[in-house]
C-alpha cells in the first residue's frame, strides 16, 4: 500500500522511558513540513495531469473530418480538407508527448524524494530505537550488577555476624559450664564443712 500524507499525519511513535529521544515538537514540525510539501506535489501532479488531458482532447478535436456528398444515382464519399489551423497536428502531438514525459518525470522525482525522506525518517527512528534499547540494556545490566554486588556484600556481612554470634554462644556455654562446675564444687565444699561440723559437735556432746 502506497504511503500517503495522512499516514504521516496519523503516525504514532512510542514514548521512551529510560532516556530522552528526539524532541517530539521538532519531529511533529518536520512531519508537518513533509506533509505540506507532499500535498503540494500531489496537487501539482494533478494539475499537470489535467493539462495533459486538455492537450490530448484538443489534439483529438483537431483531427480531419470526413463528409459524405450525395449524388444521383449513388452517394460518393468525399474527403473535406482539414482546416489550415490543424496543419501542425504532429507538432501538437509531440508537445503533448513532451508534457506527458515531463509530468511523469516530475512525478517520479517527487515520489522518489518523498520515499527517500520516508526511508530516512524510518532509518533515524530505527537507529534511535536501537540506541534506546542498547542504553536500556546497559542500564539494566548495571543495575543488576550493583544489586548482585550489594547482595554479596550483605551475605558476607551476615556470615561475619553469624560467626561472631556463634563464637559468643560458645563462650557463654563454656562460661555456663565453668560456673556450674564452680558452683557444684562450692556447694560440695560447704556440705563437707557441715558434715565435719556436725561430727565435731556430736563428739563433744558424747564426751561430756
Amino acid at each position: 500500500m502506497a504511503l500517503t500524507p495522512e499516514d504521516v499525519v496519523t503516525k504514532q511513535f512510542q514514548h521512551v522511558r529510560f532516556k530522552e529521544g528526539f524532541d517530539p515538537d521538532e519531529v511533529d514540525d518536520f512531519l508537518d513540513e513533509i506533509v505540506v510539501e507532499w500535498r503540494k506535489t500531489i496537487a501539482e501532479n494533478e494539475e499537470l495531469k489535467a493539462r495533459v488531458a486538455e492537450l490530448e482532447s484538443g489534439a483529438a478535436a483537431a483531427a480531419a473530418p470526413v463528409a459524405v456528398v450525395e449524388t444521383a444515382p449513388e452517394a460518393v464519399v468525399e474527403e473535406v480538407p482539414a482546416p489550415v489551423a490543424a496543419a501542425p497536428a504532429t507538432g501538437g502531438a509531440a508537445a503533448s508527448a513532451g508534457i506527458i514525459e515531463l509530468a511523469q518525470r516530475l512525478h517520479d522525482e517527487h515520489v522518489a524524494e518523498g520515499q527517500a525522506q520516508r526511508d530516512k525518517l524510518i532509518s533515524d527512528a530505527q537507529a534511535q530505537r536501537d540506541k534506546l534499547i542498547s542504553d536500556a540494556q546497559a542500564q539494566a545490566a548495571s543495575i543488576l550488577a550493583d544489586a548482585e554486588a550489594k547482595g554479596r556484600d550483605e551475605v558476607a556481612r551476615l556470615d561475619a555476624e553469624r560467626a561472631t554470634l556463634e563464637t559468643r554462644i560458645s563462650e557463654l556455654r563454656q562460661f555456663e559450664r565453668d560456673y556450674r562446675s564452680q558452683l557444684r564444687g562450692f556447694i560440695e565444699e560447704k556440705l563437707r564443712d557441715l558434715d565435719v561440723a556436725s561430727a565435731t559437735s556430736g563428739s563433744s556432746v558424747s564426751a561430756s
Side-chain angles (χ1 to χ4, degrees):
M1 183 179 294
L3 186 66
T4 64
E6 285 69 22
D7 294 334
V8 178
V9 173
T10 58
K11 176 66 178 176
Q12 297 292 329
F13 294 95
Q14 296 293 332
H15 292 284
V16 298
R17 295 179 180 274
F18 296 101
K19 191 174 181 180
E20 294 184 357
F22 293 117
D23 186 355
D25 294 334
E26 292 184 2
V27 174
D28 290 339
D29 293 340
F30 183 66
L31 292 178
D32 290 340
E33 292 179 2
I34 293 176
V35 170
V36 170
E37 293 299 326
W38 203 341
R39 286 175 175 169
K40 187 186 298 182
T41 301
I42 293 175
E44 291 176 355
N45 188 25
E46 294 297 330
E47 183 179 356
L48 288 174
K49 287 181 179 179
R51 290 178 60 187
V52 169
E54 291 177 0
L55 291 173
E56 289 179 347
S57 62
V66 176
V68 177
V69 179
E70 293 185 359
T71 60
E74 59 183 355
V76 179
V77 177
E78 180 181 359
E79 292 185 358
V80 178
V84 177
T90 303
S96 299
I99 292 176
I100 293 174
E101 182 181 358
L102 175 61
Q104 184 64 41
R105 186 169 67 252
L106 291 175
H107 173 267
D108 294 341
E109 290 177 356
H110 287 305
V111 170
E113 183 179 357
Q115 290 177 347
Q117 291 178 350
R118 179 199 62 186
D119 294 341
K120 184 178 184 302
L121 287 175
I122 293 175
S123 177
D124 291 343
Q126 290 177 346
Q128 181 67 13
R129 181 197 62 186
D130 294 340
K131 185 177 184 301
L132 291 175
I133 292 174
S134 177
D135 292 342
Q137 291 175 345
Q139 186 174 3
S142 177
I143 293 174
L144 181 61
D146 291 341
E148 290 177 349
K150 290 180 180 179
R152 289 192 296 269
D153 293 342
E154 185 67 17
V155 169
R157 186 183 65 82
L158 291 176
D159 288 341
E161 289 184 357
R162 182 183 63 184
T164 301
L165 290 175
E166 289 176 350
T167 301
R168 182 61 177 166
I169 290 171
S170 298
E171 292 175 353
L172 290 174
R173 285 176 179 173
Q174 184 63 38
F175 175 77
E176 180 184 8
R177 286 193 294 269
D178 294 342
Y179 180 77
R180 286 179 180 273
S181 177
Q182 292 176 2
L183 181 61
R184 184 182 298 109
F186 178 76
I187 293 174
E188 289 175 353
E189 182 180 358
K190 292 299 181 183
L191 290 175
R192 286 194 297 272
D193 291 343
L194 288 174
D195 291 340
V196 172
S198 296
T200 303
S201 299
S203 299
S204 299
V205 171
S206 298
S208 57

